[in-house]
Amino acid sequence: NAGVTQTPKFQVLKTGQSMTLQCAQDMNHNSMYWYRQDPGMGLRLIYYSASEGTTDKGEVPNGYNVSRLNKREFSLRLESAAPSQTSVYFCASSEMGLAGIQFFGPGTRLTVL
Amino acid sequence: AQKITQTQPGMFVQEKEAVTLDCTYDTSDPSYGLFWYKQPSSGEMIFLIYQGSYDQQNATEGRYSLNFQKARKSANLVISASQLGDSAMYFCAMREGPANNLFFGTGTRLTVIP
């Protein structure tokens, strides 16, 4: 089992360019999440999908869109990248519920020039 | 107010000694979960241990234990018999009630000294 996979691992964009970060999980989890991690800070939730067919905003959703393509895949799109979106992006998945432990992908390091 | 507070930016511990990493949380929801994650220099987030607000006993996972003091709203991580491979960033996180998102602290960088 690969767990949670993310592509790409690294990306450099120019301001105004668009891109999609891909995430897939093979643990048959219902819920999936996108976080960003900035230097000196913990992770902050961008968007999540509690189950296939649903998506909801997290703490920092501005400038992002998401698509829950199927149960396995959850993508994050930056329509017009800005330098403030330079960050490390993590995808995670979990079962629902209070004890639903979130398992994380390896992260994507994005730089916007 | 911060939901999760980690007041120790950095900690040092001698190899084979025990170390406690502090975490306090803020919630008015009676139902919540507390988590600890490890982030080594390679960058991945590794789940270590979970404690539910209704759990009567402190959680333990191998060398990791969670010192849960509900009245003080603290959930400190105790690592026993530290190893060089324990050197990493450690994040405390909380989930409130039925919400899906985790709130993370700013982390503690642990360095294990040979």
Side-chain angles (χ1 to χ4, degrees):
Chain A
N1 285 350
V4 180
T5 57
Q6 292 182 235
T7 55
K9 285 186 167 43
F10 302 92
Q11 184 71 48
V12 178
L13 294 177
K14 294 181 179 178
T15 297
Q17 288 185 318
S18 62
M19 79 160 295
T20 300
L21 280 65
Q22 305 286 354
C23 174
Q25 53 94 7
D26 63 2
M27 295 177 282
N28 202 35
H29 285 162
N30 286 306
S31 302
M32 297 186 73
Y33 314 82
W34 278 105
Y35 291 88
R36 60 178 288 172
Q37 183 180 27
D38 299 306
M41 299 182 71
L43 279 67
R44 291 182 293 167
L45 184 69
I46 304 171
Y47 270 94
Y48 67 96
S49 171
S51 61
E52 189 177 354
T54 68
T55 60
D56 284 286
K57 295 178 181 179
E59 187 182 353
V60 289
N62 291 346
Y64 305 95
N65 285 300
V66 291
S67 295
R68 183 73 182 267
L69 305 170
N70 48 54
K71 190 171 185 179
R72 288 188 63 249
E73 297 172 290
F74 188 38
S75 63
L76 178 73
R77 183 160 179 84
L78 287 69
E79 290 291 351
S80 180
S84 61
Q85 294 178 304
T86 293
S87 190
V88 180
Y89 291 85
F90 287 97
C91 177
S93 71
S94 75
E95 284 300 329
M96 295 178 71
L98 190 65
I101 296 163
Q102 294 188 17
F103 294 94
F104 286 80
T108 295
R109 186 173 295 274
L110 175 67
T111 302
V112 183
L113 302 174
Chain B
Q2 292 289 326
K3 289 192 179 288
I4 293 288
T5 302
Q6 295 181 254
T7 57
Q8 306 156 314
M11 289 283 286
F12 291 87
V13 64
Q14 205 76 37
E15 195 177 4
K16 299 179 185 176
E17 297 293 312
V19 63
T20 298
L21 306 183
D22 294 341
C23 172
T24 57
Y25 59 92
D26 182 27
T27 182
S28 57
D29 197 313
S31 179
Y32 54 89
L34 296 158
F35 305 77
W36 277 91
Y37 285 85
K38 173 184 179 181
Q39 187 176 42
S41 57
S42 51
E44 70 267 35
M45 296 289 288
I46 302 168
F47 166 73
L48 294 178
I49 195 166
Y50 163 79
Q51 179 85 40
S53 59
Y54 296 120
D55 294 343
Q56 295 295 315
Q57 293 192 324
N58 287 345
T60 60
E61 289 284 352
R63 294 187 298 111
Y64 304 108
S65 60
L66 200 153
N67 185 1
F68 182 45
Q69 298 189 41
K70 200 168 183 176
R72 294 186 177 185
K73 293 189 174 180
S74 74
N76 299 339
L77 177 70
V78 180
I79 305 174
S80 63
S82 296
Q83 302 172 356
L84 295 178
D86 294 334
S87 292
M89 283 289 288
Y90 289 81
F91 290 95
C92 180
M94 177 178 67
R95 167 183 282 165
E96 293 178 302
N100 284 275
N101 51 309
L102 291 178
F103 293 96
F104 282 83
T106 52
T108 296
R109 182 172 297 281
L110 177 67
T111 303
V112 180
I113 303 166

